[in-house]
Amino acid sequence: MASVEVSLKDIMTSVEGALGAAVVDYSSGMALGTLGGGKDLDLTVAAAGNTDVIRAKVRTMELLGLTGQIEDILITLESQYHLIRLVTGRSGNGLFLYLVLDKSRSNLAMARHQLKRVEEQLEV
């Protein structure tokens, strides 16, 4: 099992094109940890904003009567991918991993695979 800090370091070093990563509590919108980012990418603001994305999707699924769990949510921008992966382990209920990728330097399939691996090992 890996801590938040170790998990974020793992994401940033193992995912090609990673610009920033966060572990976020979507019940509060607070980031439990961030790594990367910068003046053009405020990960704490992004964490709070993406909490609203998850809440909206969960509400929509309920209204539609859809069953199953969200694995991840992808937001594609002109030059970036924003990947949100819900943590499903018993210790991660209510958490998500957030990863921002440089679109020109990343492999989305590999990033999803690596994020899933990190999510499975995360211990909070």
Side-chain angles (χ1 to χ4, degrees):
M1 293 291 144
S3 69
V4 169
E5 182 180 329
V6 169
S7 295
L8 291 172
K9 286 180 183 176
D10 189 4
I11 292 168
M12 292 299 291
T13 58
S14 67
V15 178
E16 181 89 22
L19 299 174
V23 176
V24 184
D25 175 351
Y26 68 81
S27 60
S28 69
M30 298 292 294
L32 303 180
T34 63
L35 191 60
K39 68 178 183 74
D40 295 330
L41 178 59
D42 185 332
L43 291 169
T44 55
V45 171
N50 283 303
T51 295
D52 293 335
V53 171
I54 291 173
R55 289 177 184 159
K57 186 59 187 172
V58 168
R59 262 192 321 274
T60 302
M61 288 177 64
E62 289 172 356
L63 291 171
L64 293 172
L66 297 176
T67 58
Q69 293 187 359
I70 298 169
E71 287 184 9
D72 54 35
I73 297 171
L74 172 65
I75 300 168
T76 306
L77 304 179
E78 187 175 315
S79 64
Q80 297 175 343
Y81 293 122
H82 291 232
L83 191 55
I84 301 165
R85 180 163 186 93
L86 274 66
V87 178
T88 57
R90 60 185 160 73
S91 68
N93 194 21
L95 301 179
F96 68 91
L97 296 172
Y98 174 62
L99 174 61
V100 180
L101 300 164
D102 179 327
K103 198 172 180 181
S104 67
R105 297 185 308 122
S106 63
N107 177 320
L108 184 56
M110 287 303 297
R112 288 185 68 221
H113 176 73
Q114 291 293 85
L115 207 55
K116 180 180 180 191
R117 181 187 57 77
V118 170
E119 179 256 328
E120 289 171 345
Q121 296 174 0
L122 179 65
E123 181 73 36
V124 180

